[in-house]
């Protein structure tokens, strides 16, 4: 009985017009590729193209690239999705990422402003004065900043999750920047190797 159903299904597929059969097979390929892609390398809901960056707040190259990515996001009106990837060699970046997550809990905009503020002051920051910089930022934005920022480890867990995602996709450096798109199932993302490539990569990924 089951074999008959399979045979009939095959006959039904063979009887379809070639264009429709190709469309159905293409949809299956799309689904298979989509399922294999890490969710972090897909545009957020409601967007077809996005910039995704894994950054370390103590990384000098991350500091240099951050305003370039923000400007591209504004120019193309596409999301910029920022992930924390603090490197073990840096002695205050993890704590800064946890603080950024705290400010994210007020609003994502405030959290990203804090990240940019840290980049702007990166050369002067050290483990001893990081808290003072965070206090000044909080005061300037009228945000309460408790003495113990993360008593239950919630924000650290969020940073760890981002870092685990980066490890899962085998990141080797920061910043690692991707242009991601839902328009190209055969190539849903491409890594930016050099900032000079950014606009050309976005143009290519925005094409149908």
């Amino acid at each position: 009985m089951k074999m008959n159903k399979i045979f009939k299904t095959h006959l039904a597929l063979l009887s379809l017009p070639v264009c429709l059969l190709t469309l159905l097979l293409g949809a299956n390929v799309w689904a298979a590729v989509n399922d294999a892609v890490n969710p972090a390398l897909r545009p957020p809901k409601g967007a077809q193209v996005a910039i995704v960056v894994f950054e370390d707040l103590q990384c000098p190259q991350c500091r240099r690239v951050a305003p370039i990515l923000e400007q591209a996001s504004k120019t193309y009106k596409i999301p910029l999705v920022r992930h924390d990837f603090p490197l073990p060699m840096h002695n205050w970046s993890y704590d800064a990422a946890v603080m950024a997550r705290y400010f994210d809990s007020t609003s994502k905009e405030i959290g990203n402003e804090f990240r940019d503020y840290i980049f702007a002051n990166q050369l002067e920051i050290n483990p001893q004065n990081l808290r003072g910089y965070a206090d000044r930022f909080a005061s300037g934005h009228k945000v309460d900043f408790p003495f113990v920022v993360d008593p239950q480890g919630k924000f650290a867990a969020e940073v760890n999750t981002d870092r685990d995602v980066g490890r899962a996709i085998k990141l080797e450096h920061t910043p690692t920047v991707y242009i991601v798109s839902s328009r190209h199932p055969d190539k849903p993302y491409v890594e930016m190797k050099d900032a000079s490539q950014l606009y050309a990569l976005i143009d290519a990924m925005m094409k149908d």
Side-chain angles (χ1 to χ4, degrees), residues 13 21-35:
L13 284 172
L21 182 58
T22 302
L23 183 64
L24 290 172
L25 292 174
N28 288 334
V29 170
W30 175 285
V33 171
N34 230 17
D35 288 344

Side-chain angles (χ1 to χ4, degrees), residues 9-45:
T9 300
H10 286 171
L11 284 178
L13 284 172
L14 290 172
S15 67
L16 289 171
V18 173
C19 60
L20 181 55
L21 182 58
T22 302
L23 183 64
L24 290 172
L25 292 174
N28 288 334
V29 170
W30 175 285
V33 171
N34 230 17
D35 288 344
V37 175
N38 190 297
L41 299 180
R42 297 175 185 168
K45 188 176 180 180

Side-chain angles (χ1 to χ4, degrees), residues 42-190:
R42 297 175 185 168
K45 188 176 180 180
Q48 292 186 316
V49 178
I51 304 167
V52 174
V53 59
F54 287 81
E55 62 188 8
D56 175 309
L57 295 175
Q58 200 173 343
C59 162
Q61 185 61 15
C62 294
R63 181 188 75 241
R64 289 188 281 269
V65 167
I68 298 171
L69 300 182
E70 289 181 21
Q71 184 56 54
S73 171
K74 292 174 183 175
T75 299
Y76 285 90
K77 296 180 173 57
I78 59 176
L80 171 59
V81 182
R82 302 171 74 164
H83 292 282
D84 295 306
F85 196 73
L87 298 171
M89 68 188 75
H90 289 153
N91 59 2
W92 55 260
S93 63
Y94 186 91
D95 290 340
V98 171
M99 291 175 181
R101 292 290 178 157
Y102 172 84
F103 288 112
D104 282 344
S105 68
T106 298
S107 80
K108 192 65 180 174
E109 182 179 0
I110 294 290
N112 284 336
E113 284 186 26
F114 177 76
R115 291 176 173 91
D116 293 336
Y117 165 82
I118 292 297
F119 280 144
N121 293 281
Q122 188 187 74
L123 297 178
E124 287 74 41
I125 294 175
N126 58 52
Q128 288 70 44
N129 66 17
L130 173 62
R131 170 74 200 207
Y133 275 93
D135 283 333
R136 284 192 288 277
F137 176 86
S139 176
H141 288 75
K142 296 180 171 52
V143 176
D144 179 52
F145 194 60
F147 180 74
V148 180
V149 177
D150 192 21
Q152 298 175 337
K154 173 187 173 184
F155 303 124
E158 292 174 354
V159 173
N160 293 343
T161 296
D162 260 10
R163 190 170 57 184
D164 289 345
V165 169
R167 288 170 176 167
I169 57 180
K170 304 187 186 308
L171 294 194
E172 297 178 352
H173 57 84
T174 59
T176 298
V177 181
Y178 298 98
I179 312 304
V180 301
S181 173
S182 60
R183 297 183 175 188
H184 303 277
D186 57 326
K187 192 175 184 180
Y189 62 90
V190 62

